[in-house]
Amino acid sequence: MIRNCLVLSQYREGSEYNDFIGKFYHFPGNKNKSYLSQFQHLPIEFVYYEPTANDGAGEYFGYGTITKKPFEDKREPGQFFVEIDEFKPFNTPVPLKNTDGFIREKSSPHYNAQNAVRKISADLLDEICLDGEIQLNFKADAHLIRVLGEQLIASEKVGILELIKNAYDAHASECTVRIENIPTLPQVAQEFYSYPELQGPVIIIEDNGTGMSKEAIEHGWLRPASTIKTNIKEQIKKEREAALKSGSLAQYNSLIAELKKANKNRIPLGEKGVGRFATHRLGQFLTIKTKIAGLSYEYVLELDWNKFDNYSGQGTDLQSIGVGLKRQPLSRNYGKNDSGTQIIIYGGRDGFDWSEEKIYELNRSILQLNSPHPHPDALKSLFQATLQVPQLPDLGKTNDFEPTATFEFAGLVDHAGKMDYTLTFTPPASVPMSSWTKDETINLLNSAKSIWPNKNRLPECGPFFVHLRLWYRKAPWVDGPESKFFMDRLAQYGGISIYRDGINIFPAEWGAQTDWLDLSKKHIKQGWRLSYYNMIGNIEIEQSANITLTDKTDRQGLLENQAYHDLKQLIKAIIEGLIENYWTGTRDEYSELMSKVVRDPKMLKEYTRQAADINKKISENYPITDDPHEILGVLGSNPLEREERLINLTRSLKDLQKSLQLIEESQEMLTEQAGYGLAIAASVHEINKITSNFFYSINDILKKDSFDKDKLTELRESSSSLRTELKRLAPLRALRSEKRVEFSISRPISYAISVFTSRFAKKNIKIEYKAIEDFNVYARFGAVVQIFTNLLDNALYWLDSPDFETKTVTINVDAKFRTVLFADSGPGIHDSILPHLFKPGYSLKIPRSGLGLYISKYYMQDMKGDIQLVANPKYRISNMPGAQFLLDFARVQDAKEL
């Protein structure tokens, strides 16, 4: 394409012509018709040039385009105007002469300094623009509407839900969605349609909100990503940050109260300004009818989206496509509010058909827009959305069968991570267990110390309310003719929804599909764990308190910022650190109640030995041939065959006994290796921190290239810490290869304390132990060290909290009864773990292992000792409210007894 380029002489001040720089160029046409002819070949690109009297010091100062032919100046005969488009000034004016002193246009055959309008080559025009650092601007192509509609609105369902949320933001109390004349569904009589003349499918979204004024349509709806709603949220964010810095939320709360008062107790849900693109996604044509209170007519905006989908190969500027706005008499009754909006979308889209399944799915999503179990103190939403489809008259009839939840949980989490909760267990009548309710307060940050190691950082997600209903997915917990339907519903829609100000912004199935809480991943590895298909729940947040929890642009979830990750970790702490303990414990309790299955390999081995001995006695002492008591009929009728089968049975039982012996040995080996792994994990973490500090300290010294006493002292301390951690690992390989030796009980206690001394000192935890009494044991030294290491490690974890003024661990040795009492001043053992304290997998820690006490009990019983929780106040240390364990070595031999 040949570019037509000009230079236009223009004085920025004191011009004799009626110029408007960047808008219109004024020039003589009668006397110099050559000027007029220059503007006949459109489009034109030009640069402004301001001459000087010397004409050697002039400069170029801007760029523009001309797309329309000149028109005559009616006030001054012989003078003409030409309209200028897209004027772009230069950041730096460009002198007429280049750095070598030559006139830039000198080589042009059209150059004549006397000509105010002259031609210039396209290359030279570009060079002048670049030397002037031309100011460019983003341009929106009309096709952007289609791109945004497809990319920002993930599906047709999401598009309709987005438009419903716009009705909520418009302070509506009702929103009706109607889909009619759907080509893929059986047709009904035309009188059942509101707009039978329109090409189907026709989608009508009608609300009784405040409606839109002309200004709101022009500067809001027709302005993609407008900041009308965003400005309110940005103001809230800034005010909250300022309030937190000042330490007073009074002014912030006053602002929120005023905003809610002005917006019918609501803060806008929308914040991207992209809801209008949903109308493009849903159909080819759009009509908007809207009215504000007090107006005697309604505004009508009509759009043909096909005009924006230009595939001609040439770009079309978004703002170049005109959209007509008119007024007309009222087309409907606007109700007592005398206001509202009706959006009519029709014509459909290629590649998408409304099936019966999709409509039922949409209906379910609309019904779930309002929270089913909001916080009792929260204001109930005055917003209700419904779906009508004339071609599906039974749409509203749904099977909502839901058996009583086995567990029901309600928790209110404050800004600091502390939670008041109620957990109720309600077994069905067919389960012989008693119902119960727990009402407690816990600090969730204690369960996720890897996220909040010192609690100096508060969760950024803010306070929230969570409600969960949970079911075991099998009889007798869920039973009856409709149980399969309910199980299928759980599998498809189970999980946790997120509601903002009472409106669903994150359906449960989205979270289940993306596994946002990592429940599916863990359930696959360990089938006993909770997953989404065991629960239906909701999280309630408020924009005023959770302003940093922000929607993704495509509306399918939340932005994964720090606030999102904090919310995720707190929910995981609730599920994994608390509810799962009750969940698995109750299931195990029921299994033990209803089943007499023996799981202990030692007991199974003993029963197998007894059975083999009985078989042997029968073979030796019972008349197998005659079988007078008829007890061998199952072995066959032939006496010889019967005798052979009895011998084979005896041999099989002996083989089974050997197999069980191997299983028992493998179990013992795995338990001991798990114990070593548990111990080494903590040390590896500490060693990693120490070596990192070592590395960076040495780097600092090398960079300074000078003696730094402080850094060398720091390195010496790091070296000492590293030596301590390696010391901790040395005796912990309590495998079966370790020989039993005699030692005093004070040795492993002192050793374990020495390993934890520095860490306890950093956390201001006091250890009270005086080796006054002592006794000897004959055991594996590493095993006993690990028992005390596990107890000290647990105490360190739970005492590391500002919730406790006094942090103490006390160890008392009783030589007479050969016992050790271990006590701490922490929070004690939580009720959810108490019945299963020494079983693997029960823990409030995230991530959970629950192996420490299980392994400690294994080691104690392996040496004929035992470990028990001390619950009776008579035997507890009175000023220690935390966990207290009694280690009983009464049956553990010493060398004198061997």
Side-chain angles (χ1 to χ4, degrees):
M1 177 180 172
I2 299 174
R3 294 164 61 190
N4 188 19
C5 303
L6 299 176
V7 175
L8 302 184
S9 294
Q10 173 70 63
Y11 288 102
R12 282 172 279 188
E13 292 181 3
S15 174
E16 61 180 279
Y17 294 99
N18 295 321
D19 296 310
F20 302 90
I21 295 177
K23 301 292 184 181
F24 293 96
Y25 184 67
H26 195 222
F27 64 93
N30 283 350
K31 294 180 180 179
N32 196 336
K33 291 187 178 181
S34 64
Y35 285 180
L36 191 59
S37 65
Q38 300 274 31
F39 296 101
Q40 300 306 308
H41 303 288
L42 302 176
I44 297 168
E45 297 176 69
F46 72 88
V47 286
Y48 271 133
Y49 171 71
E50 182 175 26
T52 61
N54 188 7
D55 203 35
E59 58 186 21
Y60 307 92
F61 63 88
Y63 165 90
T65 61
I66 298 169
T67 58
K68 298 174 184 176
K69 291 187 177 182
F71 58 91
E72 193 170 356
D73 184 349
K74 294 181 180 180
R75 295 182 303 174
E76 296 185 43
Q79 302 292 317
F80 288 82
F81 284 105
V82 66
E83 187 176 350
I84 293 171
D85 301 322
E86 301 183 28
F87 171 61
K88 302 180 189 304
F90 294 165
N91 279 342
T92 305
V94 179
L96 176 67
K97 295 180 179 180
N98 60 22
T99 53
D100 296 327
F102 294 107
I103 295 175
R104 297 174 188 269
E105 295 182 63
K106 197 68 176 178
S107 59
S108 170
H110 306 288
Y111 176 67
N112 183 341
Q114 302 303 313
N115 289 339
V117 179
R118 56 183 181 265
K119 289 187 177 181
I120 187 176
S121 69
D123 289 342
L124 183 54
L125 180 139
D126 289 341
E127 290 171 5
I128 291 172
C129 289
L130 293 172
D131 290 347
E133 196 179 338
I134 185 173
Q135 296 182 24
L136 302 180
N137 305 95
F138 282 103
K139 281 186 179 181
D141 193 274
H143 185 57
L144 178 68
I145 297 292
R146 181 186 182 95
V147 173
L148 294 178
E150 293 176 349
Q151 298 299 320
L152 300 185
I153 308 299
S155 67
E156 283 69 18
K157 181 181 78 172
V158 172
I160 288 180
L161 294 177
E162 190 65 28
L163 293 171
I164 293 174
K165 291 173 186 177
N166 282 351
Y168 175 92
D169 288 344
H171 312 143
S173 60
E174 298 174 0
C175 180
T176 301
V177 179
R178 184 179 177 88
I179 308 178
E180 61 185 34
N181 196 10
I182 304 169
T184 54
L185 295 184
Q187 292 295 309
V188 297
Q190 294 288 298
E191 57 262 29
F192 289 103
Y193 296 154
S194 300
Y195 294 94
E197 73 280 5
L198 298 181
Q199 179 186 345
V202 180
I203 302 169
I204 307 148
I205 301 168
E206 184 175 297
D207 68 57
N208 64 345
T210 55
M212 290 186 286
S213 65
K214 176 179 176 295
E215 290 72 22
I217 295 171
E218 184 176 2
H219 302 296
W221 204 93
L222 288 174
R223 190 179 183 88
S226 69
T227 59
I228 292 175
K229 297 177 185 178
T230 311
N231 288 342
I232 296 176
K233 295 194 175 186
E234 287 302 319
Q235 182 186 4
I236 291 173
K237 287 180 183 178
K238 290 178 181 178
E239 291 291 341
R240 183 169 178 81
E241 288 172 4
L244 291 172
K245 286 180 181 178
S246 66
S248 173
L249 288 172
Q251 188 174 350
Y252 172 76
N253 291 334
S254 176
L255 168 67
I256 295 302
E258 287 298 319
L259 282 172
K260 287 187 174 182
K261 183 179 178 182
N263 292 278
K264 294 190 177 181
N265 206 44
R266 298 177 189 173
I267 295 173
L269 288 174
E271 57 185 46
K272 309 294 185 188
V274 296
R276 71 223 62 188
F277 298 125
T279 62
H280 179 281
R281 176 71 183 249
L282 295 167
Q284 299 178 58
F285 307 100
L286 168 69
T287 299
I288 297 177
K289 300 177 183 179
T290 186
K291 178 186 182 301
I292 58 176
L295 208 62
S296 61
Y297 53 84
E298 63 187 14
Y299 295 109
V300 180
L301 184 76
E302 294 180 320
L303 278 171
D304 177 356
W305 287 121
N306 295 311
K307 293 180 180 179
F308 295 80
D309 299 337
N310 183 2
Y311 296 102
S312 64
Q314 294 182 352
T316 302
D317 289 346
L318 180 59
Q319 65 185 36
S320 70
I321 301 178
V323 179
L325 176 65
K326 65 182 180 181
R327 67 172 182 165
Q328 70 179 24
L330 303 183
S331 61
R332 68 182 178 98
N333 183 356
Y334 281 87
K336 64 179 183 179
N337 291 346
D338 190 31
S339 61
T341 298
Q342 186 185 68
I343 297 174
I344 306 157
I345 307 162
Y346 59 99
R349 285 288 178 191
D350 291 338
F352 177 78
D353 294 318
W354 284 103
S355 65
E356 188 172 328
E357 181 184 356
K358 288 178 181 177
I359 290 173
Y360 272 96
E361 172 67 19
L362 173 63
N363 185 55
R364 180 190 165 278
S365 297
I366 290 175
L367 292 175
Q368 290 193 339
L369 269 176
N370 293 108
S371 173
H373 294 276
H375 182 255
D377 296 336
L379 287 172
K380 290 187 177 179
S381 173
L382 298 176
F383 181 77
Q384 190 67 41
T386 55
L387 175 64
Q388 300 174 358
V389 181
Q391 291 160 275
L392 293 175
D394 295 332
L395 183 63
K397 299 176 183 178
T398 57
N399 187 342
D400 294 326
F401 167 73
E402 183 178 294
T404 301
T406 311
F407 292 92
E408 185 163 4
F409 175 89
L412 184 61
V413 183
D414 69 11
H415 71 284
K418 288 187 178 180
M419 178 176 71
D420 297 322
Y421 76 89
T422 299
L423 178 64
T424 302
F425 169 64
T426 308
S430 56
V431 174
M433 298 176 73
S434 300
S435 59
W436 48 256
T437 298
K438 305 283 184 184
D439 288 293
E440 294 182 350
T441 300
I442 64 169
N443 192 332
L444 294 174
L445 305 195
N446 286 334
S447 294
K449 290 191 177 180
S450 60
I451 309 298
W452 291 279
N454 299 310
K455 298 186 187 174
N456 291 329
R457 185 181 72 80
L458 293 179
E460 291 188 18
C461 59
F464 61 91
F465 172 74
V466 58
H467 182 274
L468 302 173
R469 306 188 308 287
L470 304 103
W471 294 266
Y472 296 114
R473 292 180 53 85
K474 61 180 180 181
W477 302 98
V478 176
D479 210 350
E482 293 185 296
S483 60
K484 184 181 184 306
F485 167 81
F486 177 66
M487 291 300 181
D488 291 343
R489 187 155 68 90
L490 270 181
Q492 189 171 2
Y493 302 117
I496 304 176
S497 301
I498 300 178
Y499 291 80
R500 178 185 285 134
D501 294 338
I503 300 296
N504 194 341
I505 62 167
F506 184 73
E509 57 268 30
W510 290 1
Q513 289 165 6
T514 58
D515 194 16
W516 76 294
L517 296 171
D518 303 321
L519 299 184
S520 295
K521 191 187 305 178
K522 293 175 181 176
H523 181 72
I524 291 170
K525 293 180 179 179
Q526 298 171 302
W528 53 267
R529 305 194 74 156
L530 273 167
S531 193
Y532 304 100
Y533 72 173
N534 294 113
M535 66 182 76
I536 295 175
N538 55 287
I539 298 168
E540 304 285 337
I541 60 176
E542 272 192 11
Q543 291 197 81
S544 57
N546 312 86
I547 197 67
T548 52
L549 289 170
T550 308
D551 292 352
K552 286 182 178 178
T553 304
D554 65 0
R555 292 300 193 269
Q556 289 202 288
L558 297 172
L559 284 178
E560 295 184 14
N561 55 16
Q562 188 61 57
Y564 167 85
H565 289 296
D566 288 352
L567 176 67
K568 176 179 173 178
Q569 290 301 327
L570 291 175
I571 296 298
K572 288 174 71 174
I574 292 170
I575 294 174
E576 297 179 34
L578 178 65
I579 295 176
E580 248 184 12
N581 288 312
Y582 288 111
W583 173 266
T584 53
T586 303
R587 183 175 53 199
D588 290 349
E589 184 182 342
Y590 173 76
S591 297
E592 290 173 8
L593 183 68
M594 302 304 294
S595 173
K596 299 300 180 184
V597 175
V598 178
R599 294 179 175 84
D600 185 356
K602 289 184 179 179
M603 295 179 65
L604 286 171
K605 187 176 70 174
E606 177 59 22
Y607 292 154
T608 307
R609 185 192 63 76
Q610 293 172 6
D613 288 347
I614 291 171
N615 268 11
K616 183 179 179 184
K617 296 292 184 184
I618 290 174
S619 298
E620 293 174 352
N621 303 311
Y622 185 75
I624 297 173
T625 304
D626 297 333
D627 189 17
H629 297 292
E630 299 181 350
I631 61 174
L632 302 177
V634 295
L635 298 178
S637 57
N638 187 310
L640 293 176
E641 182 182 355
R642 189 185 300 161
E643 185 174 1
E644 183 181 354
R645 288 187 177 181
L646 188 63
I647 293 170
N648 288 338
L649 179 60
T650 304
R651 188 182 299 116
S652 296
L653 286 169
K654 288 182 178 179
D655 290 342
L656 178 59
Q657 191 176 356
K658 292 177 182 177
S659 298
L660 288 169
Q661 175 68 32
L662 292 173
I663 291 172
E664 183 184 355
E665 290 175 357
S666 297
Q667 185 186 49
E668 290 174 350
M669 182 184 70
L670 289 172
T671 301
E672 294 191 354
Q673 288 178 341
Y676 182 67
L678 189 67
I680 200 174
S683 284
V684 166
H685 179 68
E686 291 299 319
I687 290 170
N688 181 52
K689 289 196 298 186
I690 293 165
T691 52
S692 294
N693 182 48
F694 216 93
F695 174 80
Y696 288 114
S697 295
I698 290 174
N699 263 359
D700 285 345
I701 291 173
L702 292 174
K703 286 177 182 177
K704 289 181 180 178
D705 198 23
S706 60
F707 179 77
D708 189 331
K709 185 177 180 180
D710 292 338
K711 279 292 179 186
L712 290 173
T713 303
E714 187 180 318
L715 283 172
R716 184 180 65 187
E717 291 173 357
S718 295
S719 177
S720 176
S721 299
L722 183 60
R723 188 165 59 249
T724 300
E725 289 303 324
L726 293 174
K727 178 183 178 182
R728 174 185 179 180
L729 292 176
L732 292 182
R733 293 200 62 181
L735 302 175
R736 300 191 67 79
S737 58
E738 183 187 10
K739 294 182 179 180
R740 298 175 187 265
V741 295
E742 185 179 26
F743 52 87
S744 65
I745 198 65
S746 61
R747 274 189 60 207
I749 295 174
S750 298
Y751 192 100
I753 289 174
S754 71
V755 170
F756 280 88
T757 299
S758 62
R759 270 184 276 173
F760 272 48
K762 288 179 183 177
K763 305 298 182 183
N764 297 317
I765 301 172
K766 180 182 177 183
I767 302 181
E768 295 179 343
Y769 169 64
K770 296 178 181 178
I772 298 174
E773 295 193 40
D774 207 353
F775 57 86
N776 287 355
V777 294
Y778 188 79
R780 289 179 289 163
F781 181 74
V784 181
V785 167
Q786 188 163 343
I787 292 169
F788 288 107
T789 297
N790 289 344
L791 293 174
L792 287 167
D793 195 53
N794 280 342
L796 173 64
Y797 184 93
W798 293 110
L799 286 171
D800 180 18
S801 170
D803 297 341
F804 307 111
E805 293 183 9
T806 303
K807 303 178 183 181
T808 308
V809 171
T810 299
I811 303 175
N812 290 342
V813 177
D814 188 327
K816 179 181 178 182
F817 293 101
R818 293 172 62 82
T819 60
V820 178
L821 183 61
F822 184 100
D824 66 57
S825 60
I829 306 299
H830 193 268
D831 285 350
S832 64
I833 298 174
L834 207 52
H836 321 282
L837 189 58
F838 296 103
K839 294 179 180 179
Y842 290 89
S843 175
L844 287 180
K845 298 177 183 177
I846 303 295
R848 57 188 295 182
S849 66
L851 290 174
L853 289 175
Y854 166 74
I855 290 168
S856 296
K857 193 171 187 71
Y858 166 80
Y859 285 147
M860 287 298 297
Q861 292 181 342
D862 183 61
M863 64 181 83
K864 308 302 182 188
D866 203 1
I867 178 173
Q868 299 173 348
L869 180 70
V870 181
N872 192 331
K874 180 180 178 181
Y875 303 107
R876 287 175 61 89
I877 300 174
S878 59
N879 62 338
M880 302 291 280
Q884 297 195 21
F885 294 95
L886 184 71
L887 284 74
D888 185 0
F889 292 90
R891 295 177 58 219
V892 179
Q893 297 176 319
D894 60 19
K896 298 175 184 176
E897 299 175 277
L898 297 176

